[in-house]
């Protein structure tokens, strides 16, 4: 079962049955919906206000990862090692589809919603135009796997970390790395004003 907590509470406020044991999910940017994909079945959409699954979308394939669009009713999913789809969250209709030869391990949306960053098995970060499926840049520099990434709220920086804790900052407009340090953190996230960046420390 998937359990959800309010951050100021000790007990979960919502339990959702997930027989497949999904390990890929996301919250919608407005905090109204929660979606989780299954490697054996559909994508389930949970209404967080009523605490129930309100929709299940058959996308014709197992789902290995998903990420809500920052403001449109759609999300990006990857359904096999190389295929990315942009789908409508009401119907499941595929709006666009493209392949990433280096495989897909994770994704992050640019806050303007036109660019999707996808991490590959090749330890590269690929930037795509999400509707046309045309590549913009390939960011190279990480020497380890386990890459996690996020855009800042202004959209002028992309942060990424890898297994050895190296933090890199990239300019998504040029594809160039602008900063690197051995921070020892994972899962980078920017504060709402973009002045701070937080990450998870090994073992915590």
């Amino acid at each position: 079962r998937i359990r959800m907590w309010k951050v100021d509470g000790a007990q979960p406020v919502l339990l959702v049955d997930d027989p497949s044991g999904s390990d890929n999910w996301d919250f919608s940017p407005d905090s109204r919906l929660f979606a989780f994909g299954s490697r054996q079945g559909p994508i389930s959409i949970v209404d967080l206000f009523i605490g129930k699954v309100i929709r299940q979308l058959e996308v014709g394939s197992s789902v290995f990862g998903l990420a809500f669009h920052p403001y449109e009713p759609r999300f990006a999913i990857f359904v096999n090692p190389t295929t990315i789809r942009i789908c409508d969250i009401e119907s499941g209709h595929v709006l666009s589809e493209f392949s990433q030869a280096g495989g897909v391990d994770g994704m992050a949306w640019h806050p303007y919603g036109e660019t999707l960053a996808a991490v590959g098995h090749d330890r590269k970060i690929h930037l795509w135009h999400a509707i046309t499926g045309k590549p913009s840049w390939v960011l190279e520099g990480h020497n380890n796997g386990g890459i996690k990434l996020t855009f800042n709220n202004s959209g002028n920086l992309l942060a990424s970390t890898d297994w050895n804790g190296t933090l890199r900052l990239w300019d998504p407009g040029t594809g160039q790395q602008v900063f690197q340090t051995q921070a020892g953190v994972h899962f980078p996230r920017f504060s709402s004003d973009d002045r701070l960046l937080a990450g998870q420390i090994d073992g915590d």
Side-chain angles (χ1 to χ4, degrees):
R1 306 184 81 181
I2 296 174
R3 293 169 170 81
M4 301 183 200
W5 285 261
K6 289 187 176 180
V7 295
D8 58 355
Q11 299 299 322
V13 296
L14 184 61
L15 302 175
V16 180
D17 290 326
D18 177 22
S20 69
S22 171
D23 60 356
N24 53 86
W25 50 68
D26 196 19
F27 290 95
S28 63
D30 61 6
S31 298
R32 295 181 60 88
L33 301 176
F34 174 79
F36 61 96
S38 170
R39 298 188 183 186
Q40 289 82 35
I43 295 174
S44 298
I45 309 292
V46 179
D47 185 316
L48 294 172
F49 285 87
I50 64 175
K52 293 181 180 180
V53 175
I54 59 170
R55 191 179 309 117
Q56 290 189 315
L57 302 176
E58 294 289 349
V59 293
S61 184
S62 299
V63 177
F64 292 87
L66 62 86
F68 273 97
H69 189 277
Y71 55 85
E72 295 284 353
R74 60 188 63 168
F75 43 53
I77 62 175
F78 60 94
V79 295
N80 62 39
T82 62
T83 301
I84 297 171
R85 292 177 182 165
I86 312 300
C87 299
D88 181 272
I89 66 171
E90 296 289 338
S91 64
H93 177 68
V94 177
L95 304 173
S96 63
E97 178 177 304
F98 43 95
S99 295
Q100 182 164 292
V104 185
D105 287 326
M107 301 175 295
W109 282 98
H110 187 279
Y112 295 170
E114 294 184 353
T115 298
L116 183 72
V119 177
H121 305 324
D122 54 7
R123 302 175 182 175
K124 300 175 183 178
I125 299 170
H126 303 253
L127 301 186
W128 297 91
H129 189 283
I131 296 302
T132 65
K134 293 182 178 180
S136 300
W137 304 104
V138 178
L139 314 183
E140 301 185 48
H142 283 288
N143 299 314
N144 294 273
I147 298 171
K148 305 298 180 184
L149 71 167
T150 187
F151 286 95
N152 70 347
N153 299 283
S154 299
N156 61 350
L157 286 176
L158 173 69
S160 62
T161 59
D162 58 26
W163 277 330
N164 74 355
T166 300
L167 168 68
R168 299 172 190 266
L169 298 180
W170 311 83
D171 181 340
T174 65
Q176 297 299 306
Q177 180 178 300
V178 296
F179 179 76
Q180 174 184 340
T181 187
Q182 183 58 40
V185 298
H186 310 279
F187 300 98
R189 291 293 183 271
F190 286 93
S191 61
S192 59
D193 62 3
D194 287 337
R195 295 180 63 190
L196 301 174
L197 186 145
Q200 176 183 320
I201 300 173
D202 283 334
D204 295 329

